[in-house]
Amino acid sequence: MRSTEPDPYQRGCPSRRLLDRIGDRWTVLVILTLREGPRRFSEIRRRIDGVSQKMLTQTLRALERDGLVTRTVHPEVPPRVVYELTALGRSLIGPLDGLLGWATANLPEVEDAQEGYDRELLRTPR
Amino acid sequence: MRSTEPDPYQRGCPSRRLLDRIGDRWTVLVILTLREGPRRFSEIRRRIDGVSQKMLTQTLRALERDGLVTRTVHPEVPPRVVYELTALGRSLIGPLDGLLGWATANLPEVEDAQEGYDRELLRTPR
């Protein structure tokens, strides 16, 4: 591997910070909400229960800066602002869908494991 | 969808917290390190540049509790402690590999987008 290739195992590599951003819960939920088509801020916020205005604003701005989402202001009164995935953003749907799909499919098994772990810890504390 | 099915779009659903954990940078790097086979703590730490002892300990404990990793103490002097993926943990390799693969493959395009965004922002501040 050339030393200039992205390597998230190296602490200084920007790919590690990119990995942080795309693995973030709000990024996952926003990108997968926008897979259905362009949406207004209020529509996205309604879809993602419990996201604060501030957090959604920050997330959308980071996605816009990373080239994953476009923000279009339609000159109406009041102006209509619409968010939409770019081609690059759409290429993330597959990986993020894999992540979210794994979490929903395997939650029961994970919860069983947690119960077993906690029970065992009560019997024989480390 | 039944109301008891995991739904990370809902704020109280444990699948949202699970999504946080599996999307975490250290989880991704640890699981993908262990895909090569069982590893000792010190070996994992060497592979993942910049991870602190405390953070790696916390990450491995969470993975163990979630049933993704086993921790085996071999009774030698000094004891040899080995971490290994479970079948459930191995089922996460695909999704996490997709995530990390996307980050490394698309970093150049993301960085181009960032430069364009920052340049535009300088010209016409919002």
Side-chain angles (χ1 to χ4, degrees):
Chain A
M1 189 183 284
R2 299 199 325 266
S3 66
T4 54
E5 269 181 31
D7 178 5
Y9 290 95
Q10 296 306 314
R11 89 176 83 183
C13 184
S15 65
R16 188 180 273 187
R17 289 198 306 276
L18 179 58
L19 188 61
D20 285 343
R21 291 201 299 283
I22 63 176
D24 175 75
R25 65 153 74 161
W26 303 124
T27 296
V28 175
L29 298 174
V30 167
I31 296 271
L32 294 180
T33 293
L34 292 178
R35 76 189 293 178
E36 316 285 343
R39 289 288 184 275
R40 302 171 67 149
F41 187 93
S42 57
E43 294 174 314
I44 304 170
R45 188 158 178 215
R46 220 168 12 246
R47 176 74 179 101
I48 305 175
D49 186 41
V51 68
S52 69
Q53 171 133 355
K54 183 181 169 189
M55 192 49 76
L56 185 52
T57 301
Q58 282 177 4
T59 301
L60 284 166
R61 199 161 294 168
L63 291 174
E64 202 190 338
R65 181 167 185 263
D66 283 345
L68 302 171
V69 162
T70 58
R71 175 179 178 274
T72 307
V73 182
H74 295 277
E76 301 167 8
V77 180
R80 190 164 50 93
V81 182
V82 170
Y83 297 89
E84 185 170 8
L85 293 179
T86 62
L88 187 61
R90 282 196 298 277
S91 74
L92 239 189
I93 292 176
L96 297 190
D97 205 33
L99 202 67
L100 186 135
W102 189 95
T104 55
N106 293 287
L107 179 64
E109 201 172 337
V110 167
E111 289 186 322
D112 284 350
Q114 292 175 342
E115 281 172 33
Y117 182 93
D118 294 345
R119 220 167 26 234
E120 185 63 24
L121 207 61
L122 280 176
R123 284 204 313 128
T124 56
R126 272 184 198 167
Chain B
M1 189 184 283
R2 298 200 325 264
S3 66
T4 53
E5 271 182 30
D7 179 6
Y9 290 94
Q10 297 305 315
R11 89 176 84 183
C13 183
S15 65
R16 188 179 274 187
R17 288 197 307 277
L18 179 56
L19 188 60
D20 285 342
R21 292 201 298 283
I22 63 176
D24 175 76
R25 64 154 74 162
W26 303 125
T27 296
V28 174
L29 297 175
V30 167
I31 296 271
L32 294 181
T33 294
L34 291 178
R35 78 190 292 179
E36 315 286 341
R39 289 288 184 276
R40 301 171 69 149
F41 186 94
S42 56
E43 293 172 316
I44 303 170
R45 190 160 176 213
R46 220 169 10 246
R47 176 75 180 100
I48 305 175
D49 185 40
V51 68
S52 69
Q53 171 135 354
K54 184 181 169 188
M55 191 51 74
L56 185 53
T57 302
Q58 282 177 4
T59 301
L60 284 166
R61 200 163 292 169
L63 291 174
E64 201 190 341
R65 182 169 184 261
D66 283 345
L68 301 172
V69 162
T70 57
R71 175 179 178 274
T72 307
V73 183
H74 294 277
E76 302 166 7
V77 180
R80 189 164 52 92
V81 182
V82 169
Y83 296 89
E84 186 169 8
L85 293 180
T86 63
L88 187 61
R90 282 194 298 275
S91 74
L92 239 189
I93 291 176
L96 297 190
D97 205 32
L99 202 67
L100 185 135
W102 190 95
T104 53
N106 294 286
L107 178 65
E109 201 172 338
V110 167
E111 290 186 322
D112 284 349
Q114 292 175 343
E115 280 172 32
Y117 182 94
D118 294 346
R119 221 166 27 233
E120 186 63 24
L121 206 63
L122 279 177
R123 285 203 312 127
T124 58
R126 272 185 195 163

